[in-house]
Amino acid sequence: MNKIKIIEGILISFIVLLIAYTVNETIVIQKNISNNDIGAHEKKPEYHFVVISDDVESYSWTTFISSVNDEAKDKSIVIEIYAINDLNDKSEIEKAFEIAILSKVDGIMMKLTDNDTVRDEILKCNDMGIKVITIGNDSPESNRDAYIGTNKYNLGKISASLLTLQGQQKQDVLLILGSEYKENSGASSNNYLNGIHEEIVQNDLINKLYVEYASEKRADLIVNDSLYKDHIDAIICTDPIDSLRAVKVLIDLNLVGDVDLIASSNLPEIIEYIKKGTIQSSVVEDYEIMGETSVEVLYQLLNDKRQSAYINIPISVINKESLGLVD
């Protein structure tokens, strides 16, 4: 009988301990769930932005979108990219905007080769209270909330002005416009070319200007063909990859020093070529600052903070002098 009572006592004690352990584990689990919910709430995206672009392969795009993603991550912003294959296909443009609106995005970044082609869609977003900024080239009549980018006209003038530094007048020049420029696509190409032509008129720089588009043919093939068909004194490239392809052709044909090259960007390879004298100079658009600024401006607009309607990204020139290699 005593043995039975002892066994019962042990069983009761075990059950009590088991219940206590279960209750404790339940409390711990509930706390963990609660903490996870708090963490998830803290990480919940604050805004949803869409970038609409017809240039998602170039160096400028890669640098730009990398900076956009870095800045968005810091601000808990979700970034989506809608790639446009054909800027002349109105249905494709309308579909991109329709998806963005149905997704209830907070803001849209327009980075097309001609943002003015989507003026009507931007106006609709404006009426719906969706913030829209244009990047790279402007569409002021669309009532966009802000423009961020370099002045393409000034970019063209600066690029052409560098020809005078070579001490040679009346040059035959090959201009290779990168993939962010499209023939017959409006603002970007036209403004850049207008800047080039203005500098030509003012300083009587160029005898002939041959304009080619890397979106239609690789830069190295363009350079090869142009050197074969025409007398070329200088080459201007607006894209860093095109610049590297062009300089390789000049090296292979032993034309370094005979044909001047004005490149684009501050890529380490291009800076090394400038130090060696293989490339004369390079014009730099800071796409990293452009991407960071675009996210910041749209973010501030959504937080009811006043922003300038026109934010200019500076243009710089790299040459031996700027690198401190000239006494």
Side-chain angles (χ1 to χ4, degrees):
M1 192 71 173
N2 288 334
K3 286 183 179 180
I4 294 174
K5 287 183 179 180
I6 291 171
I7 292 171
E8 286 179 346
I10 292 171
L11 288 173
I12 290 170
S13 299
F14 176 75
I15 291 170
V16 170
L17 288 172
L18 183 61
I19 292 171
Y21 174 79
T22 302
V23 169
N24 182 66
E25 286 299 299
T26 301
I27 292 171
V28 170
I29 291 170
Q30 286 177 337
K31 283 183 178 179
N32 287 337
I33 292 173
S34 177
N35 288 335
N36 287 338
D37 286 343
I38 292 170
H41 178 72
E42 288 175 349
K43 294 179 181 178
K44 183 179 178 182
E46 188 173 352
Y47 293 119
H48 178 193
F49 293 170
V50 162
V51 184
I52 301 178
S53 179
D54 60 339
D55 170 35
V56 293
E57 295 180 352
S58 68
Y59 167 84
S60 61
W61 164 262
T62 303
T63 307
F64 167 80
I65 201 63
S66 176
S67 179
V68 164
N69 286 328
D70 288 344
E71 186 68 15
K73 185 179 180 181
D74 289 342
K75 288 181 164 57
S76 296
I77 297 169
V78 170
I79 297 291
E80 276 192 272
I81 299 166
Y82 296 167
I84 302 298
N85 296 313
D86 184 1
L87 193 56
N88 296 314
D89 186 348
K90 190 166 179 61
S91 64
E92 188 180 4
I93 297 291
E94 289 174 346
K95 184 178 179 181
F97 274 89
E98 183 181 350
I99 294 172
I101 292 168
L102 289 174
S103 300
K104 296 182 179 179
V105 298
D106 301 293
I108 298 176
M109 300 180 187
M110 297 305 311
K111 193 178 185 300
L112 300 171
T113 50
D114 184 3
N115 285 320
D116 208 38
T117 60
V118 294
R119 183 192 312 165
D120 293 341
E121 283 74 16
I122 296 176
L123 284 166
K124 288 177 187 175
C125 289
N126 189 268
D127 292 339
M128 298 177 70
I130 300 173
K131 300 294 184 183
V132 181
I133 61 173
T134 54
I135 300 162
N137 62 84
D138 203 6
S139 178
E141 293 182 8
S142 67
N143 291 333
R144 84 290 182 269
D145 293 281
Y147 164 70
I148 295 98
T150 54
N151 185 308
K152 299 298 184 186
Y153 177 82
N154 288 341
L155 188 66
K157 279 181 66 67
I158 290 170
S159 298
S161 71
L162 294 172
L163 294 170
T164 62
L165 300 179
Q166 314 311 320
Q168 186 178 359
Q169 294 295 316
K170 288 292 186 181
Q171 296 175 306
D172 288 353
V173 177
L174 171 62
L175 170 62
I176 303 176
L177 293 172
S179 57
E180 71 269 27
Y181 297 94
K182 305 277 175 67
E183 190 169 9
N184 301 321
S185 66
S188 288
S189 300
N190 289 342
N191 288 338
Y192 185 90
L193 289 172
N194 286 340
I196 290 268
H197 285 300
E198 178 67 20
E199 194 68 22
I200 291 171
V201 170
Q202 286 181 354
N203 295 290
D204 197 24
L205 294 172
I206 296 175
N207 182 42
K208 289 182 181 178
L209 177 67
Y210 302 95
V211 181
E212 299 285 349
Y213 292 82
S215 58
E216 299 175 358
K217 191 175 182 180
R218 275 176 56 119
D220 46 351
L221 298 178
I222 292 172
V223 173
N224 259 317
D225 292 347
S226 297
L227 290 171
Y228 177 77
K229 293 185 303 181
D230 307 302
H231 173 75
I232 301 296
D233 298 303
I235 300 170
I236 299 175
C237 293
T238 67
D239 182 87
I241 305 304
D242 294 339
S243 303
L244 292 173
R245 286 172 175 165
V247 78
K248 187 177 185 306
V249 174
L250 296 181
I251 292 170
D252 290 345
L253 296 178
N254 198 28
L255 290 174
V256 174
D258 295 327
V259 178
D260 295 328
L261 176 60
I262 296 169
S264 172
S265 94
N266 56 354
L267 278 177
E269 298 97 318
I270 288 177
I271 292 175
E272 280 304 309
Y273 278 128
I274 291 173
K275 289 178 179 178
K276 294 175 183 177
T278 312
I279 291 176
Q280 280 63 48
S281 54
S282 185
V283 182
V284 181
E285 293 181 83
D286 199 322
Y287 291 101
E288 186 174 342
I289 291 178
M290 195 181 295
E292 177 184 315
T293 304
S294 297
V295 175
E296 177 65 24
V297 167
L298 200 47
Y299 179 82
Q300 295 298 341
L301 285 167
L302 286 164
N303 282 280
D304 297 322
K305 294 185 179 179
R306 185 182 293 275
Q307 295 292 303
S308 172
Y310 189 103
I311 298 171
N312 190 45
I313 301 299
I315 303 164
S316 59
V317 174
I318 300 176
N319 51 28
K320 282 189 174 182
E321 185 177 1
S322 70
L323 294 172
L325 301 175
V326 177
D327 294 332

